[in-house]
Amino acid sequence: MAKSCNFQKLSITILLLLLLSILTHGNSQEFSRKLSKKSMGMKREKLSHLHFYFHDIVSGKNPTAVKIAEAAMTNRSPTGFGLMAMIDDPLTVGPEPNSKLVGRAQGIYAQASLNDVGLLMVLNFAFVEGKYNGSTLSILGRNSVMSTVREMPIVGGSGLFRFARGYAKAKTHTLDFKTGDAVVEYNVYVFHY
């Protein structure tokens, strides 16, 4: 009888603890919590300026930009609307193709405008040189190719560019109308920790 009484007391205690837990926390599960900037390695925010050249090679035996899709109307469109290309373009210190490699532009661009050459750019600048080796910057925005200077937002990054924000200014350095190959000068202004 004493064992039965102790078992009942233990059962009641467990039920009360469960009930208290439910009343205290409700049915919600914790999926977020506040963190300190320090715990994430976020110290004082810095502003960096990066300057490099983007080589978009669509011709020859070793293109760095290749068409991966197009709409049925793309060939009839004066702007190439519906074309999509995958890229792995070199980023170099100078405009010459044999200039020192500092990274790669990897991602997708798509012709997203019916009325002008307006590309949707979704890409990462993946750096391979110096203190930024292994770090990336993510770009998501519109590239109005025929404008002298274009701005695209930086929406994030990794490595030394964790929590990055800023913008990239692009200016066509050279464009070969026969082959479609282009070299674009980039000035990137980025806040990061």
Side-chain angles (χ1 to χ4, degrees), residues 56-77:
D56 195 47
I57 320 285
V58 297
S59 69
K61 294 179 184 176
N62 298 309
T64 60
V66 295
K67 179 171 49 173
I68 58 171
E70 66 182 4
M73 68 171 283
T74 298
N75 290 333
R76 295 185 317 272
S77 168

Side-chain angles (χ1 to χ4, degrees), residues 14-155:
I14 291 173
L15 284 173
L16 286 173
L17 287 173
L18 284 171
L19 182 61
L20 182 61
S21 175
I22 290 170
L23 290 174
T24 306
H25 296 292
N27 291 330
S28 68
Q29 298 291 320
E30 271 193 54
F31 68 92
S32 68
R33 61 188 170 115
K34 292 192 184 261
L35 298 172
S36 70
K37 287 183 178 183
K38 188 176 181 181
S39 73
M40 294 300 294
M42 298 168 71
K43 298 175 185 161
R44 190 171 173 188
E45 193 173 39
K46 299 172 225 155
L47 174 62
S48 295
H49 171 231
L50 303 163
H51 179 258
F52 49 82
Y53 292 84
F54 173 109
H55 299 262
D56 195 47
I57 320 285
V58 297
S59 69
K61 294 179 184 176
N62 298 309
T64 60
V66 295
K67 179 171 49 173
I68 58 171
E70 66 182 4
M73 68 171 283
T74 298
N75 290 333
R76 295 185 317 272
S77 168
T79 64
F81 180 71
L83 175 84
M84 187 180 297
M86 182 70 66
I87 66 168
D88 187 4
D89 291 342
L91 304 175
T92 61
V93 170
E96 305 80 20
N98 60 351
S99 184
K100 183 178 183 179
L101 184 74
V102 296
R104 308 219 42 109
Q106 298 171 328
I108 296 171
Y109 59 75
Q111 177 45 277
S113 177
L114 284 166
N115 302 314
D116 64 349
V117 184
L119 301 177
L120 166 64
M121 306 288 286
V122 181
L123 59 97
N124 289 309
F125 292 144
F127 297 100
V128 298
E129 180 59 33
K131 70 179 182 178
Y132 299 121
N133 184 18
S135 297
T136 66
L137 287 172
S138 297
I139 306 288
L140 174 63
R142 186 174 197 275
N143 183 350
S144 184
V145 176
M146 301 313 281
S147 297
T148 304
V149 177
R150 293 88 70 189
E151 285 188 14
M152 289 164 277
I154 294 170
V155 296

Side-chain angles (χ1 to χ4, degrees), residues 155-175:
V155 296
S158 67
L160 289 180
F161 293 121
R162 209 172 283 140
F163 298 107
R165 60 188 171 84
Y167 68 99
K169 282 174 57 173
K171 181 180 180 183
T172 302
H173 180 72
T174 57
L175 173 60

